[in-house]
Amino acid sequence: MPVEYDEPSGTVVLRTEATCYVLRVDRAVLHVHWGAHLPLEDAVGLPVRSEPDNSFAGPFDGVEEYPVEGGARFGVPALEVRFADGQSPVEPEVTGVRVVGAGHVVVSLRDRVRPLTWETHYRVPPDGDVLERWTEFEHTGTSGPLLLVRHAAAHWPLPRRQRWRMSAVHGGWSDEHRLARTELAVGETTLTSRRGHTGHQANPWVALDTGGADEEHGEVWATALAASGSWRLTVQRTAAGEVGVILGEGHEGAEIALAPGRRHVTPVSVAVHSPGGFGAVSRAFHTYVRRHVLPYPGESRPVLYNSWEATGFETSEEGQLRLARRAADLGVELFVVDDGWFGTRDDDRSGLGDWTPHPGRFPRGLRPLADEVHRLGMAFGLWVEPEMTNPDSELFRRHPEYVLHLPDRTATELRHQLVLDFSRHEVTEWAYGRLRRMVAEHTVDFLKWDFNRSFTEAGARGGGPDARRVHIEHARGVHRVLDRLRAEFPRLRIESCAGGGGRTDLGMLARTDQVWTSDNTDAVQRLAIQHGFSQVYPARVMSAWVTDSPNPLTGRRVPLAFRFHSAMAGVLGIGGDLDRWTPAELAEAARLIGLYKDIRPLVQHGHQYRLLAPGDGALTAVQYVGPDAGQTVVLLWRPGAWFGPAHPPLRLRGLDTGARYRDEDTGEEWSGATLMGFGLPLPCLPDGDCASALVRLRQVA
């Protein structure tokens, strides 16, 4: 049973396949256990952590499931309220516990005097190891709004341990998802985005272990937030040894005014515990995303071609048709026209918001190009940036009021553009109407939805108590537009992009099909970016391109095979100028695209094992295993030249120890026990920098 509830003791046990989570509901909602499975009769008898022995400590600090600001509580609050009279303390009272269906528990609370109720929801999705939590608030009064100053989705208390280490990602534009593991300091460690979108600098997830976990061993606890706007995640470690993680939308100052009778529902926070190291936690997240988040989880993502690096803004019908024919000859399945196809878009200074074909570049419109792309056997896609406008655009001249800006402040332009305020109904109605006409008129199968600058001067016109709510509501407006588009056009597929990986989160993945991982297409640097990305997000959504050499961003020269092998670790795309590729390169590309299609079911739907991390040695390696362990593929890279001793055999994971596996290229055979115990003998890599290999193994007995 995913949920067991002992009503006399108030003990609730939530079970996933590998772990259980125990709380106790009495005068307060207190945490008991999160870790290995326990029988209910033992959970009922477990003590809650001991009461403090001095008047400077709070009795609920670190043990309350959803801490509030009020009473003898001195830790980070999940809920902080400013009532109509300016008072803030909350005095919670439990009003009920109910089990909803097989795996869903709701604990209801209210303030003892003030007009506020809230429900904390716990849910165990089937067939996995993830727990979900969220919170719903309601103003039960009849006059005056109250202000939700902090409104977290969840607080996840962790067990007491002597030592803690924190894993998270950091970075910037073209340097996203850089994994770092550091000792957790006593105090409050906060990760956040104040930018109005998920951000390149951090991502809304964190993993914690006691310092000894590795890829396949050791207890790890991890949690993530399904929010696409500004967000805040705080890990608190007290001097008394209590540790917990609080996650929520917004940041300091991003408050929500709740009018009488109104409700506010937080995004979902998901969490995983595993004794099987960071790899097991990642695979649990990957399974959850594939089964419970993605709109079409069973689909395989197509091989795409994107024209940006070939043409820049110099798009034309003739040039795109030529590239489309070359792409089709390679075996590409989706052709995407990037920036420059619309309005007066001759550079990045004009045209955003004018989503009609450029009259000089596409005098016949886009339909002839779309028809030819479809005739060639490919789907047709367009780049769009619906949340932005240039001051030099017809949209801005007609509707300057649509822009996210305060009238008495100077508008800050970044990349010569301004942000449209998607927290406003009239703006999202305009965006939806324009997008639906564009998709219908041009028979568009795919949108690359971009977002190329962060918020500035973000506030509600006319002010008000929650003037900065736009940091939350803009992203929710984007979600609503995406939901409507997908409902009207079930065949439409969408890629989330924000200058690369600046809007990668579970909230966007519930409405899109893949993520543009980074604007950095350097095949070597991508290995570290993809390594960090894979900690939470599966290869099934990780878009990766093969581009030209030398790389347009870094100038690095990389062999074509290495570029392909790097991109084949996710959703393969081609982004180079095919007009400049030699016949030999085109032939090799066609061969490797065919090879990718062969391994695609494993990469996009199999279990991922990070065998050798980037930077830990001369080699980097990742393995994908089919659900029944009948097939596996290994991608291996050596970014630099190597003159030391030979690398030891590569010990594989996830195979059937009693079965035999044949290398589909060499014909050599080994048992699963040998491949996991002794290891796979490494293939011979070419000399010099940037050598790589791909090994396919299939079960034969």
Side-chain angles (χ1 to χ4, degrees):
M1 290 289 291
V3 173
E4 297 174 280
Y5 176 39
D6 181 73
E7 190 170 357
S9 68
T11 301
V12 177
V13 179
L14 299 105
R15 299 188 188 278
T16 71
E17 290 181 357
T19 190
C20 77
Y21 190 94
V22 182
L23 56 133
R24 185 159 302 138
V25 183
D26 190 6
R27 292 174 299 121
V29 186
L30 302 178
H31 183 72
V32 179
H33 171 74
W34 185 14
H37 279 297
L38 306 174
L40 176 62
E41 56 268 29
D42 287 357
V44 167
L46 289 176
V48 178
R49 298 168 195 168
S50 58
E51 294 281 335
D53 60 359
N54 67 82
S55 61
F56 294 96
F60 300 109
D61 288 351
V63 301
E64 202 165 22
E65 280 287 302
Y66 196 79
V68 303
E69 177 72 16
R73 297 174 175 88
F74 306 109
V76 179
L79 171 62
E80 182 180 354
V81 183
R82 189 171 303 123
F83 293 99
D85 60 0
Q87 299 296 326
S88 290
V90 174
E91 192 172 353
E93 179 182 41
V94 177
T95 59
V97 179
R98 65 183 190 275
V99 178
V100 184
H104 187 179
V105 175
V106 183
V107 181
S108 301
L109 301 100
R110 68 179 180 187
D111 187 279
R112 291 183 183 274
V113 177
R114 304 289 181 135
L116 175 67
T117 65
W118 63 99
E119 294 178 335
T120 58
H121 290 253
Y122 301 77
R123 186 167 60 196
V124 183
D127 305 321
D129 269 322
V130 165
L131 296 167
E132 294 180 331
R133 287 184 60 183
W134 71 95
T135 307
E136 301 184 10
F137 308 94
E138 183 176 359
H139 186 332
T140 57
T142 56
S143 62
L146 57 82
L147 204 62
L148 298 176
V149 179
R150 291 178 182 251
H151 39 86
H155 168 234
W156 296 96
L158 274 69
R160 279 197 174 190
R161 297 290 189 267
Q162 293 294 320
R163 181 189 174 200
W164 284 102
R165 180 175 59 171
M166 185 180 85
S167 299
V169 291
H170 62 88
W173 174 78
S174 282
D175 196 33
E176 303 92 327
H177 304 289
R178 297 291 183 167
L179 179 64
R181 304 200 198 279
T182 56
E183 184 175 354
L184 180 65
V186 173
E188 300 171 16
T189 302
T190 296
L191 309 176
T192 188
S193 168
R194 301 181 179 89
R195 299 167 186 268
H197 60 106
T198 321
H200 303 78
Q201 290 70 24
N203 200 261
W205 68 266
V206 69
L208 293 151
D209 76 295
T210 58
D214 60 21
E215 271 297 306
E216 303 301 329
H217 307 91
E219 282 192 290
V220 179
W221 294 259
T223 180
L225 182 69
S228 305
S230 295
W231 56 272
R232 176 172 52 196
L233 180 160
T234 299
V235 185
Q236 179 176 248
R237 182 183 182 186
T238 71
E242 310 290 356
V243 172
V245 184
I246 290 179
L247 311 88
E249 282 180 301
H251 58 280
E252 58 278 357
E255 302 169 341
I256 293 177
L258 203 59
R262 298 300 299 271
R263 293 176 65 85
H264 176 74
V265 180
T266 73
V268 171
S269 172
V270 301
V272 176
H273 163 266
S274 176
F278 298 107
V281 165
S282 295
R283 288 185 288 277
F285 275 124
H286 298 172
T287 299
Y288 171 75
V289 171
R290 288 194 299 262
R291 291 179 180 173
H292 301 292
V293 177
L294 292 173
Y296 296 96
E299 284 187 355
S300 292
R301 307 310 315 135
V303 177
L304 69 81
Y305 178 82
N306 183 286
S307 65
W308 173 249
E309 293 196 4
T311 64
F313 292 107
E314 298 298 320
T315 58
S316 68
E317 181 179 333
E318 179 184 359
Q320 296 296 307
L321 283 170
R322 186 173 60 251
L323 289 168
R325 292 176 183 125
R326 287 183 177 270
D329 288 343
L330 297 181
V332 166
E333 299 159 315
L334 165 63
F335 184 84
V336 183
V337 181
D338 209 279
D339 203 348
W341 63 266
F342 54 90
T344 57
R345 190 70 164 173
D346 297 322
D347 53 35
D348 64 1
R349 295 175 177 270
S350 66
L352 281 177
D354 302 337
W355 301 110
T356 55
H358 191 300
R361 300 181 184 280
F362 297 92
R364 300 193 299 162
L366 287 176
R367 189 59 180 265
L369 173 60
D371 288 346
E372 178 63 9
V373 167
H374 288 140
R375 189 194 69 77
L376 290 167
M378 298 182 292
F380 179 66
L382 287 177
W383 176 94
V384 291
E385 194 171 3
E387 301 159 74
M388 301 290 168
T389 189
N390 294 117
D392 183 7
S393 68
E394 289 303 313
L395 172 65
F396 185 77
R397 285 186 278 273
R398 289 195 308 268
H399 292 291
E401 74 278 8
Y402 282 5
V403 167
L404 182 63
H405 175 55
L406 302 177
D408 60 344
R409 293 288 182 261
T410 301
T412 299
E413 290 185 31
L414 297 173
R415 201 175 182 256
H416 314 294
Q417 63 193 56
L418 300 168
V419 184
L420 298 173
D421 187 354
F422 268 52
S423 71
R424 298 169 58 190
H425 176 73
E426 63 269 31
V427 178
T428 55
E429 284 297 303
W430 164 84
Y432 171 70
R434 183 54 56 92
L435 288 166
R436 72 175 298 277
R437 286 195 299 273
M438 182 185 68
V439 170
E441 291 174 5
H442 307 313
T443 60
V444 176
D445 305 296
F446 178 89
L447 292 176
K448 180 176 181 177
W449 183 301
D450 211 341
F451 179 96
N452 274 309
R453 58 153 294 178
S454 299
F455 286 8
T456 56
E457 294 84 47
R461 292 174 180 268
D466 62 346
R468 295 172 63 79
R469 185 173 182 157
V470 67
H471 281 268
I472 296 169
E473 290 299 329
H474 177 100
R476 291 188 173 208
V478 172
H479 288 177
R480 288 191 290 272
V481 173
L482 288 168
D483 289 343
R484 292 178 69 186
L485 277 175
R486 300 205 73 134
E488 183 162 357
F489 300 100
R491 63 177 174 79
L492 182 66
R493 300 296 178 262
I494 301 171
E495 179 177 87
S496 173
C497 175
R503 193 146 64 187
T504 302
D505 59 78
L506 298 174
M508 284 300 285
L509 286 177
R511 297 159 174 89
T512 58
D513 302 279
Q514 59 196 61
V515 174
W516 178 226
T517 317
S518 178
D519 281 347
N520 186 344
T521 60
D522 182 294
V524 173
Q525 293 191 4
R526 263 300 185 104
L527 297 179
I529 292 171
Q530 294 174 177
H531 179 77
F533 183 96
S534 74
Q535 302 297 312
V536 170
Y537 308 110
R540 160 70 171 72
V541 304
M542 187 177 72
S543 184
W545 294 355
V546 178
T547 57
D548 291 330
S549 180
N551 183 266
L553 181 69
T554 67
R556 191 197 310 267
R557 294 184 180 274
V558 178
L560 186 63
F562 191 105
R563 283 178 271 152
F564 261 94
H565 289 156
S566 178
M568 289 163 75
V571 176
L572 177 64
I574 313 298
D577 185 354
L578 298 182
D579 286 338
R580 297 171 56 194
W581 287 22
T582 67
E585 287 175 323
L586 292 171
E588 178 70 355
R591 183 187 72 82
L592 288 166
I593 288 172
L595 181 58
Y596 177 75
K597 291 177 181 178
D598 180 64
I599 67 170
R600 176 165 51 188
L602 301 178
V603 173
Q604 295 193 15
H605 303 286
H607 301 299
Q608 181 179 2
Y609 295 84
R610 296 179 294 261
L611 302 179
L612 298 171
D616 284 354
L619 300 180
T620 297
V622 64
Q623 178 193 3
Y624 303 91
V625 182
D628 62 354
Q631 290 178 270
T632 187
V633 61
V634 178
L635 287 160
L636 178 70
W637 303 270
R638 191 190 65 217
W642 177 250
F643 301 103
H647 195 282
L650 196 60
R651 296 177 66 188
L652 305 188
R653 297 288 180 263
L655 303 181
D656 182 347
T657 57
R660 294 194 65 78
Y661 292 82
R662 175 181 296 143
D663 186 313
E664 295 194 55
D665 296 304
T666 68
E668 295 178 289
E669 290 187 13
W670 300 274
S671 70
T674 297
L675 290 168
M676 291 196 294
F678 176 81
L680 172 72
L682 293 183
C684 182
L685 297 178
D687 294 334
D689 293 343
C690 300
S692 61
L694 185 154
V695 178
R696 295 175 295 162
L697 300 169
R698 185 184 295 271
Q699 192 177 122
V700 292

